[in-house]
Amino acid sequence: MKREIITISGNGDIHIPTAPVWMSVCEIADLLGAFSGKVNAQIKTIFKEGLLMEAEAMRTIRSEQGFIDLYSMEMITMLSFRIATPEAKALRRWII
C-alpha cells in the first residue's frame, strides 16, 4: 500500500501530499502534538459514536515491526477538531 503522511514544518506550513494519506497513531500524535494515548482514546470514541466506520477509516498493514493500524484523512480531520493543541489548531485552519 502506497501511503503518505501530513507534515507541519517549524514555521507552521502544512504539507498535504497528493498520494493517499494513511497515518498510524504515532504519526498522527506527532502531527497533532499530542500523546498517542489521547489519539487512541479519541479514535475509539469516534468509532463508538458511529461518526466513522472502521471499515472505511482504518486499514491494517504488515511491516517489519508487525501489524500497524493506519487511519484515513477523514479520521485525521475529525481528530484535529477533538484535540486542543497548537498543531491541531493549525491543521483545522488549513482545513477550513
mmCIF file with all atom_site columns, all heavy atoms in Angstrom, residues 44-65:
data_model
loop_
_atom_site.group_PDB
_atom_site.id
_atom_site.type_symbol
_atom_site.label_atom_id
_atom_site.label_alt_id
_atom_site.label_comp_id
_atom_site.label_asym_id
_atom_site.label_entity_id
_atom_site.label_seq_id
_atom_site.pdbx_PDB_ins_code
_atom_site.Cartn_x
_atom_site.Cartn_y
_atom_site.Cartn_z
_atom_site.occupancy
_atom_site.B_iso_or_equiv
_atom_site.pdbx_formal_charge
_atom_site.auth_seq_id
_atom_site.auth_comp_id
_atom_site.auth_asym_id
_atom_site.auth_atom_id
_atom_site.pdbx_PDB_model_num
ATOM 1   N N   . LYS A 1 44 ? -11.169 5.622   19.387 1.00 0.00 ? 44 LYS A N   1
ATOM 2   C CA  . LYS A 1 44 ? -12.167 4.680   19.918 1.00 0.00 ? 44 LYS A CA  1
ATOM 3   C C   . LYS A 1 44 ? -13.515 5.361   20.102 1.00 0.00 ? 44 LYS A C   1
ATOM 4   O O   . LYS A 1 44 ? -14.557 4.783   19.784 1.00 0.00 ? 44 LYS A O   1
ATOM 5   C CB  . LYS A 1 44 ? -11.674 4.079   21.237 1.00 0.00 ? 44 LYS A CB  1
ATOM 6   C CG  . LYS A 1 44 ? -10.572 3.075   21.050 1.00 0.00 ? 44 LYS A CG  1
ATOM 7   C CD  . LYS A 1 44 ? -10.117 2.500   22.379 1.00 0.00 ? 44 LYS A CD  1
ATOM 8   C CE  . LYS A 1 44 ? -8.951  1.560   22.144 1.00 0.00 ? 44 LYS A CE  1
ATOM 9   N NZ  . LYS A 1 44 ? -8.424  0.995   23.372 1.00 0.00 ? 44 LYS A NZ  1
ATOM 10  N N   . THR A 1 45 ? -13.505 6.599   20.593 1.00 0.00 ? 45 THR A N   1
ATOM 11  C CA  . THR A 1 45 ? -14.743 7.348   20.789 1.00 0.00 ? 45 THR A CA  1
ATOM 12  C C   . THR A 1 45 ? -15.437 7.634   19.454 1.00 0.00 ? 45 THR A C   1
ATOM 13  O O   . THR A 1 45 ? -16.658 7.489   19.343 1.00 0.00 ? 45 THR A O   1
ATOM 14  C CB  . THR A 1 45 ? -14.457 8.668   21.542 1.00 0.00 ? 45 THR A CB  1
ATOM 15  O OG1 . THR A 1 45 ? -13.861 8.356   22.801 1.00 0.00 ? 45 THR A OG1 1
ATOM 16  C CG2 . THR A 1 45 ? -15.728 9.466   21.764 1.00 0.00 ? 45 THR A CG2 1
ATOM 17  N N   . ILE A 1 46 ? -14.677 8.022   18.464 1.00 0.00 ? 46 ILE A N   1
ATOM 18  C CA  . ILE A 1 46 ? -15.240 8.309   17.138 1.00 0.00 ? 46 ILE A CA  1
ATOM 19  C C   . ILE A 1 46 ? -15.914 7.061   16.566 1.00 0.00 ? 46 ILE A C   1
ATOM 20  O O   . ILE A 1 46 ? -17.029 7.132   16.046 1.00 0.00 ? 46 ILE A O   1
ATOM 21  C CB  . ILE A 1 46 ? -14.151 8.855   16.192 1.00 0.00 ? 46 ILE A CB  1
ATOM 22  C CG1 . ILE A 1 46 ? -13.772 10.282  16.610 1.00 0.00 ? 46 ILE A CG1 1
ATOM 23  C CG2 . ILE A 1 46 ? -14.609 8.818   14.735 1.00 0.00 ? 46 ILE A CG2 1
ATOM 24  C CD1 . ILE A 1 46 ? -12.508 10.821  15.960 1.00 0.00 ? 46 ILE A CD1 1
ATOM 25  N N   . PHE A 1 47 ? -15.274 5.908   16.694 1.00 0.00 ? 47 PHE A N   1
ATOM 26  C CA  . PHE A 1 47 ? -15.865 4.668   16.207 1.00 0.00 ? 47 PHE A CA  1
ATOM 27  C C   . PHE A 1 47 ? -17.086 4.285   17.051 1.00 0.00 ? 47 PHE A C   1
ATOM 28  O O   . PHE A 1 47 ? -18.115 3.884   16.511 1.00 0.00 ? 47 PHE A O   1
ATOM 29  C CB  . PHE A 1 47 ? -14.852 3.532   16.204 1.00 0.00 ? 47 PHE A CB  1
ATOM 30  C CG  . PHE A 1 47 ? -13.815 3.622   15.106 1.00 0.00 ? 47 PHE A CG  1
ATOM 31  C CD1 . PHE A 1 47 ? -12.522 3.186   15.331 1.00 0.00 ? 47 PHE A CD1 1
ATOM 32  C CD2 . PHE A 1 47 ? -14.120 4.129   13.853 1.00 0.00 ? 47 PHE A CD2 1
ATOM 33  C CE1 . PHE A 1 47 ? -11.565 3.239   14.324 1.00 0.00 ? 47 PHE A CE1 1
ATOM 34  C CE2 . PHE A 1 47 ? -13.170 4.193   12.835 1.00 0.00 ? 47 PHE A CE2 1
ATOM 35  C CZ  . PHE A 1 47 ? -11.896 3.746   13.080 1.00 0.00 ? 47 PHE A CZ  1
ATOM 36  N N   . LYS A 1 48 ? -16.980 4.427   18.375 1.00 0.00 ? 48 LYS A N   1
ATOM 37  C CA  . LYS A 1 48 ? -18.081 4.063   19.267 1.00 0.00 ? 48 LYS A CA  1
ATOM 38  C C   . LYS A 1 48 ? -19.317 4.911   18.996 1.00 0.00 ? 48 LYS A C   1
ATOM 39  O O   . LYS A 1 48 ? -20.446 4.417   19.027 1.00 0.00 ? 48 LYS A O   1
ATOM 40  C CB  . LYS A 1 48 ? -17.635 4.221   20.722 1.00 0.00 ? 48 LYS A CB  1
ATOM 41  C CG  . LYS A 1 48 ? -18.668 3.775   21.729 1.00 0.00 ? 48 LYS A CG  1
ATOM 42  C CD  . LYS A 1 48 ? -18.151 3.898   23.146 1.00 0.00 ? 48 LYS A CD  1
ATOM 43  C CE  . LYS A 1 48 ? -19.212 3.471   24.132 1.00 0.00 ? 48 LYS A CE  1
ATOM 44  N NZ  . LYS A 1 48 ? -18.749 3.631   25.511 1.00 0.00 ? 48 LYS A NZ  1
ATOM 45  N N   . GLU A 1 49 ? -19.113 6.206   18.729 1.00 0.00 ? 49 GLU A N   1
ATOM 46  C CA  . GLU A 1 49 ? -20.230 7.107   18.455 1.00 0.00 ? 49 GLU A CA  1
ATOM 47  C C   . GLU A 1 49 ? -20.786 6.927   17.040 1.00 0.00 ? 49 GLU A C   1
ATOM 48  O O   . GLU A 1 49 ? -21.793 7.537   16.694 1.00 0.00 ? 49 GLU A O   1
ATOM 49  C CB  . GLU A 1 49 ? -19.802 8.562   18.668 1.00 0.00 ? 49 GLU A CB  1
ATOM 50  C CG  . GLU A 1 49 ? -19.509 8.893   20.109 1.00 0.00 ? 49 GLU A CG  1
ATOM 51  C CD  . GLU A 1 49 ? -18.962 10.297  20.320 1.00 0.00 ? 49 GLU A CD  1
ATOM 52  O OE1 . GLU A 1 49 ? -18.717 11.013  19.320 1.00 0.00 ? 49 GLU A OE1 1
ATOM 53  O OE2 . GLU A 1 49 ? -18.771 10.671  21.489 1.00 0.00 ? 49 GLU A OE2 1
ATOM 54  N N   . GLY A 1 50 ? -20.125 6.119   16.224 1.00 0.00 ? 50 GLY A N   1
ATOM 55  C CA  . GLY A 1 50 ? -20.587 5.869   14.874 1.00 0.00 ? 50 GLY A CA  1
ATOM 56  C C   . GLY A 1 50 ? -20.348 7.013   13.902 1.00 0.00 ? 50 GLY A C   1
ATOM 57  O O   . GLY A 1 50 ? -20.974 7.081   12.843 1.00 0.00 ? 50 GLY A O   1
ATOM 58  N N   . LEU A 1 51 ? -19.433 7.907   14.243 1.00 0.00 ? 51 LEU A N   1
ATOM 59  C CA  . LEU A 1 51 ? -19.140 9.046   13.367 1.00 0.00 ? 51 LEU A CA  1
ATOM 60  C C   . LEU A 1 51 ? -18.392 8.607   12.116 1.00 0.00 ? 51 LEU A C   1
ATOM 61  O O   . LEU A 1 51 ? -18.567 9.200   11.049 1.00 0.00 ? 51 LEU A O   1
ATOM 62  C CB  . LEU A 1 51 ? -18.341 10.105  14.134 1.00 0.00 ? 51 LEU A CB  1
ATOM 63  C CG  . LEU A 1 51 ? -19.070 10.708  15.339 1.00 0.00 ? 51 LEU A CG  1
ATOM 64  C CD1 . LEU A 1 51 ? -18.144 11.609  16.126 1.00 0.00 ? 51 LEU A CD1 1
ATOM 65  C CD2 . LEU A 1 51 ? -20.311 11.448  14.884 1.00 0.00 ? 51 LEU A CD2 1
ATOM 66  N N   . LEU A 1 52 ? -17.569 7.593   12.250 1.00 0.00 ? 52 LEU A N   1
ATOM 67  C CA  . LEU A 1 52 ? -16.882 6.962   11.120 1.00 0.00 ? 52 LEU A CA  1
ATOM 68  C C   . LEU A 1 52 ? -16.961 5.461   11.318 1.00 0.00 ? 52 LEU A C   1
ATOM 69  O O   . LEU A 1 52 ? -17.014 4.976   12.448 1.00 0.00 ? 52 LEU A O   1
ATOM 70  C CB  . LEU A 1 52 ? -15.410 7.388   11.044 1.00 0.00 ? 52 LEU A CB  1
ATOM 71  C CG  . LEU A 1 52 ? -15.100 8.811   10.611 1.00 0.00 ? 52 LEU A CG  1
ATOM 72  C CD1 . LEU A 1 52 ? -13.603 9.074   10.729 1.00 0.00 ? 52 LEU A CD1 1
ATOM 73  C CD2 . LEU A 1 52 ? -15.569 9.079   9.197  1.00 0.00 ? 52 LEU A CD2 1
ATOM 74  N N   . MET A 1 53 ? -16.929 4.733   10.216 1.00 0.00 ? 53 MET A N   1
ATOM 75  C CA  . MET A 1 53 ? -16.948 3.275   10.276 1.00 0.00 ? 53 MET A CA  1
ATOM 76  C C   . MET A 1 53 ? -15.512 2.757   10.149 1.00 0.00 ? 53 MET A C   1
ATOM 77  O O   . MET A 1 53 ? -14.742 3.255   9.331  1.00 0.00 ? 53 MET A O   1
ATOM 78  C CB  . MET A 1 53 ? -17.800 2.705   9.137  1.00 0.00 ? 53 MET A CB  1
ATOM 79  C CG  . MET A 1 53 ? -19.231 3.231   9.120  1.00 0.00 ? 53 MET A CG  1
ATOM 80  S SD  . MET A 1 53 ? -20.129 3.007   10.661 1.00 0.00 ? 53 MET A SD  1
ATOM 81  C CE  . MET A 1 53 ? -20.180 1.261   10.804 1.00 0.00 ? 53 MET A CE  1
ATOM 82  N N   . GLU A 1 54 ? -15.189 1.758   10.966 1.00 0.00 ? 54 GLU A N   1
ATOM 83  C CA  . GLU A 1 54 ? -13.827 1.206   10.937 1.00 0.00 ? 54 GLU A CA  1
ATOM 84  C C   . GLU A 1 54 ? -13.437 0.719   9.550  1.00 0.00 ? 54 GLU A C   1
ATOM 85  O O   . GLU A 1 54 ? -12.294 0.901   9.120  1.00 0.00 ? 54 GLU A O   1
ATOM 86  C CB  . GLU A 1 54 ? -13.693 0.056   11.940 1.00 0.00 ? 54 GLU A CB  1
ATOM 87  C CG  . GLU A 1 54 ? -13.533 0.521   13.360 1.00 0.00 ? 54 GLU A CG  1
ATOM 88  C CD  . GLU A 1 54 ? -13.202 -0.614  14.308 1.00 0.00 ? 54 GLU A CD  1
ATOM 89  O OE1 . GLU A 1 54 ? -12.315 -1.433  13.983 1.00 0.00 ? 54 GLU A OE1 1
ATOM 90  O OE2 . GLU A 1 54 ? -13.833 -0.676  15.369 1.00 0.00 ? 54 GLU A OE2 1
ATOM 91  N N   . ALA A 1 55 ? -14.369 0.103   8.840  1.00 0.00 ? 55 ALA A N   1
ATOM 92  C CA  . ALA A 1 55 ? -14.068 -0.454  7.518  1.00 0.00 ? 55 ALA A CA  1
ATOM 93  C C   . ALA A 1 55 ? -13.644 0.625   6.523  1.00 0.00 ? 55 ALA A C   1
ATOM 94  O O   . ALA A 1 55 ? -12.899 0.361   5.597  1.00 0.00 ? 55 ALA A O   1
ATOM 95  C CB  . ALA A 1 55 ? -15.277 -1.204  6.984  1.00 0.00 ? 55 ALA A CB  1
ATOM 96  N N   . GLU A 1 56 ? -14.111 1.862   6.724  1.00 0.00 ? 56 GLU A N   1
ATOM 97  C CA  . GLU A 1 56 ? -13.790 2.953   5.810  1.00 0.00 ? 56 GLU A CA  1
ATOM 98  C C   . GLU A 1 56 ? -12.602 3.781   6.266  1.00 0.00 ? 56 GLU A C   1
ATOM 99  O O   . GLU A 1 56 ? -11.874 4.323   5.442  1.00 0.00 ? 56 GLU A O   1
ATOM 100 C CB  . GLU A 1 56 ? -15.001 3.876   5.664  1.00 0.00 ? 56 GLU A CB  1
ATOM 101 C CG  . GLU A 1 56 ? -16.216 3.188   5.075  1.00 0.00 ? 56 GLU A CG  1
ATOM 102 C CD  . GLU A 1 56 ? -17.472 4.031   5.186  1.00 0.00 ? 56 GLU A CD  1
ATOM 103 O OE1 . GLU A 1 56 ? -17.425 5.136   5.774  1.00 0.00 ? 56 GLU A OE1 1
ATOM 104 O OE2 . GLU A 1 56 ? -18.510 3.575   4.674  1.00 0.00 ? 56 GLU A OE2 1
ATOM 105 N N   . ALA A 1 57 ? -12.409 3.900   7.571  1.00 0.00 ? 57 ALA A N   1
ATOM 106 C CA  . ALA A 1 57 ? -11.422 4.837   8.103  1.00 0.00 ? 57 ALA A CA  1
ATOM 107 C C   . ALA A 1 57 ? -10.141 4.176   8.610  1.00 0.00 ? 57 ALA A C   1
ATOM 108 O O   . ALA A 1 57 ? -9.216  4.871   9.008  1.00 0.00 ? 57 ALA A O   1
ATOM 109 C CB  . ALA A 1 57 ? -12.048 5.649   9.238  1.00 0.00 ? 57 ALA A CB  1
ATOM 110 N N   . MET A 1 58 ? -10.086 2.845   8.598  1.00 0.00 ? 58 MET A N   1
ATOM 111 C CA  . MET A 1 58 ? -8.919  2.155   9.137  1.00 0.00 ? 58 MET A CA  1
ATOM 112 C C   . MET A 1 58 ? -8.476  1.033   8.208  1.00 0.00 ? 58 MET A C   1
ATOM 113 O O   . MET A 1 58 ? -9.299  0.332   7.628  1.00 0.00 ? 58 MET A O   1
ATOM 114 C CB  . MET A 1 58 ? -9.240  1.576   10.515 1.00 0.00 ? 58 MET A CB  1
ATOM 115 C CG  . MET A 1 58 ? -8.059  0.954   11.211 1.00 0.00 ? 58 MET A CG  1
ATOM 116 S SD  . MET A 1 58 ? -8.472  0.365   12.862 1.00 0.00 ? 58 MET A SD  1
ATOM 117 C CE  . MET A 1 58 ? -8.976  -1.298  12.482 1.00 0.00 ? 58 MET A CE  1
ATOM 118 N N   . ARG A 1 59 ? -7.168  0.891   8.059  1.00 0.00 ? 59 ARG A N   1
ATOM 119 C CA  . ARG A 1 59 ? -6.561  -0.208  7.311  1.00 0.00 ? 59 ARG A CA  1
ATOM 120 C C   . ARG A 1 59 ? -5.444  -0.779  8.182  1.00 0.00 ? 59 ARG A C   1
ATOM 121 O O   . ARG A 1 59 ? -4.783  -0.052  8.910  1.00 0.00 ? 59 ARG A O   1
ATOM 122 C CB  . ARG A 1 59 ? -5.933  0.272   6.000  1.00 0.00 ? 59 ARG A CB  1
ATOM 123 C CG  . ARG A 1 59 ? -6.860  0.941   5.041  1.00 0.00 ? 59 ARG A CG  1
ATOM 124 C CD  . ARG A 1 59 ? -7.606  -0.085  4.199  1.00 0.00 ? 59 ARG A CD  1
ATOM 125 N NE  . ARG A 1 59 ? -8.375  0.534   3.137  1.00 0.00 ? 59 ARG A NE  1
ATOM 126 C CZ  . ARG A 1 59 ? -9.616  0.987   3.261  1.00 0.00 ? 59 ARG A CZ  1
ATOM 127 N NH1 . ARG A 1 59 ? -10.217 0.943   4.401  1.00 0.00 ? 59 ARG A NH1 1
ATOM 128 N NH2 . ARG A 1 59 ? -10.261 1.493   2.223  1.00 0.00 ? 59 ARG A NH2 1
ATOM 129 N N   . THR A 1 60 ? -5.239  -2.069  8.088  1.00 0.00 ? 60 THR A N   1
ATOM 130 C CA  . THR A 1 60 ? -4.152  -2.715  8.812  1.00 0.00 ? 60 THR A CA  1
ATOM 131 C C   . THR A 1 60 ? -3.146  -3.230  7.792  1.00 0.00 ? 60 THR A C   1
ATOM 132 O O   . THR A 1 60 ? -3.528  -3.894  6.829  1.00 0.00 ? 60 THR A O   1
ATOM 133 C CB  . THR A 1 60 ? -4.672  -3.873  9.680  1.00 0.00 ? 60 THR A CB  1
ATOM 134 O OG1 . THR A 1 60 ? -5.661  -3.358  10.586 1.00 0.00 ? 60 THR A OG1 1
ATOM 135 C CG2 . THR A 1 60 ? -3.554  -4.507  10.477 1.00 0.00 ? 60 THR A CG2 1
ATOM 136 N N   . ILE A 1 61 ? -1.889  -2.875  8.024  1.00 0.00 ? 61 ILE A N   1
ATOM 137 C CA  . ILE A 1 61 ? -0.822  -3.340  7.134  1.00 0.00 ? 61 ILE A CA  1
ATOM 138 C C   . ILE A 1 61 ? 0.198   -4.136  7.936  1.00 0.00 ? 61 ILE A C   1
ATOM 139 O O   . ILE A 1 61 ? 0.291   -4.000  9.155  1.00 0.00 ? 61 ILE A O   1
ATOM 140 C CB  . ILE A 1 61 ? -0.128  -2.170  6.389  1.00 0.00 ? 61 ILE A CB  1
ATOM 141 C CG1 . ILE A 1 61 ? 0.563   -1.218  7.378  1.00 0.00 ? 61 ILE A CG1 1
ATOM 142 C CG2 . ILE A 1 61 ? -1.096  -1.436  5.493  1.00 0.00 ? 61 ILE A CG2 1
ATOM 143 C CD1 . ILE A 1 61 ? 1.530   -0.245  6.730  1.00 0.00 ? 61 ILE A CD1 1
ATOM 144 N N   . ARG A 1 62 ? 0.964   -4.939  7.227  1.00 0.00 ? 62 ARG A N   1
ATOM 145 C CA  . ARG A 1 62 ? 2.050   -5.693  7.850  1.00 0.00 ? 62 ARG A CA  1
ATOM 146 C C   . ARG A 1 62 ? 3.354   -4.980  7.525  1.00 0.00 ? 62 ARG A C   1
ATOM 147 O O   . ARG A 1 62 ? 3.599   -4.590  6.396  1.00 0.00 ? 62 ARG A O   1
ATOM 148 C CB  . ARG A 1 62 ? 2.081   -7.112  7.305  1.00 0.00 ? 62 ARG A CB  1
ATOM 149 C CG  . ARG A 1 62 ? 3.260   -7.912  7.805  1.00 0.00 ? 62 ARG A CG  1
ATOM 150 C CD  . ARG A 1 62 ? 3.270   -9.291  7.216  1.00 0.00 ? 62 ARG A CD  1
ATOM 151 N NE  . ARG A 1 62 ? 2.868   -10.186 8.295  1.00 0.00 ? 62 ARG A NE  1
ATOM 152 C CZ  . ARG A 1 62 ? 2.353   -11.376 8.126  1.00 0.00 ? 62 ARG A CZ  1
ATOM 153 N NH1 . ARG A 1 62 ? 2.122   -11.828 6.934  1.00 0.00 ? 62 ARG A NH1 1
ATOM 154 N NH2 . ARG A 1 62 ? 2.045   -12.120 9.164  1.00 0.00 ? 62 ARG A NH2 1
ATOM 155 N N   . SER A 1 63 ? 4.183   -4.789  8.540  1.00 0.00 ? 63 SER A N   1
ATOM 156 C CA  . SER A 1 63 ? 5.501   -4.185  8.347  1.00 0.00 ? 63 SER A CA  1
ATOM 157 C C   . SER A 1 63 ? 6.535   -5.034  9.080  1.00 0.00 ? 63 SER A C   1
ATOM 158 O O   . SER A 1 63 ? 6.194   -6.060  9.656  1.00 0.00 ? 63 SER A O   1
ATOM 159 C CB  . SER A 1 63 ? 5.515   -2.746  8.873  1.00 0.00 ? 63 SER A CB  1
ATOM 160 O OG  . SER A 1 63 ? 5.511   -2.751  10.283 1.00 0.00 ? 63 SER A OG  1
ATOM 161 N N   . GLU A 1 64 ? 7.781   -4.567  9.069  1.00 0.00 ? 64 GLU A N   1
ATOM 162 C CA  . GLU A 1 64 ? 8.829   -5.301  9.777  1.00 0.00 ? 64 GLU A CA  1
ATOM 163 C C   . GLU A 1 64 ? 8.551   -5.391  11.278 1.00 0.00 ? 64 GLU A C   1
ATOM 164 O O   . GLU A 1 64 ? 8.953   -6.328  11.946 1.00 0.00 ? 64 GLU A O   1
ATOM 165 C CB  . GLU A 1 64 ? 10.203  -4.629  9.574  1.00 0.00 ? 64 GLU A CB  1
ATOM 166 C CG  . GLU A 1 64 ? 10.684  -4.610  8.152  1.00 0.00 ? 64 GLU A CG  1
ATOM 167 C CD  . GLU A 1 64 ? 10.183  -3.394  7.390  1.00 0.00 ? 64 GLU A CD  1
ATOM 168 O OE1 . GLU A 1 64 ? 9.976   -2.326  7.993  1.00 0.00 ? 64 GLU A OE1 1
ATOM 169 O OE2 . GLU A 1 64 ? 9.969   -3.529  6.176  1.00 0.00 ? 64 GLU A OE2 1
ATOM 170 N N   . GLN A 1 65 ? 7.854   -4.378  11.811 1.00 0.00 ? 65 GLN A N   1
ATOM 171 C CA  . GLN A 1 65 ? 7.557   -4.341  13.251 1.00 0.00 ? 65 GLN A CA  1
ATOM 172 C C   . GLN A 1 65 ? 6.306   -5.153  13.619 1.00 0.00 ? 65 GLN A C   1
ATOM 173 O O   . GLN A 1 65 ? 5.980   -5.284  14.785 1.00 0.00 ? 65 GLN A O   1
ATOM 174 C CB  . GLN A 1 65 ? 7.354   -2.895  13.731 1.00 0.00 ? 65 GLN A CB  1
ATOM 175 C CG  . GLN A 1 65 ? 8.565   -2.026  13.609 1.00 0.00 ? 65 GLN A CG  1
ATOM 176 C CD  . GLN A 1 65 ? 8.628   -1.288  12.278 1.00 0.00 ? 65 GLN A CD  1
ATOM 177 O OE1 . GLN A 1 65 ? 7.729   -1.381  11.461 1.00 0.00 ? 65 GLN A OE1 1
ATOM 178 N NE2 . GLN A 1 65 ? 9.708   -0.575  12.059 1.00 0.00 ? 65 GLN A NE2 1
#
